[in-house]
Amino acid sequence: MKRALMKSAVWVSYDLGIQADYEGMYAWLDERQAKECGDSLAFFNYEYSGPLLKALTADLKKSVQITREHASM
């Protein structure tokens, strides 16, 4: 049985560091039509199923390469 999709407004604040996957992060934000709201802050509407944080984290990990120093998500 498929879970129903839900939609939430999401604010994302990120600190990528010097050797981070900027290309992956910005592509991920672009795919979600995120609006830039200052340095390292974005807003978008996010469609998901299940717990929001779990879905968002899994989605990010698929698109953005996370190194050991950034693994504390």
Side-chain angles (χ1 to χ4, degrees):
M1 180 154 102
K2 252 187 160 177
R3 291 184 180 190
L5 288 179
M6 300 186 330
K7 195 172 199 177
S8 291
V10 175
W11 288 92
V12 174
S13 174
Y14 47 94
D15 181 7
L16 298 178
I18 295 170
Q19 297 179 349
D21 182 10
Y22 285 90
E23 189 174 310
M25 183 66 182
Y26 291 129
W28 186 85
L29 290 168
D30 285 345
E31 289 171 10
R32 280 140 197 87
Q33 299 176 339
K35 305 294 182 218
E36 191 175 343
C37 301
D39 292 340
S40 302
L41 184 64
F43 172 84
F44 55 95
N45 290 305
Y46 186 68
E47 203 168 86
Y48 62 98
S49 64
L52 173 59
L53 186 56
K54 188 174 184 175
L56 193 58
T57 301
D59 194 13
L60 270 166
K61 285 182 177 182
K62 283 191 290 187
S63 299
V64 180
Q65 186 175 26
I66 299 173
T67 60
R68 175 172 259 171
E69 73 179 54
H70 300 106
S72 61
M73 283 179 65

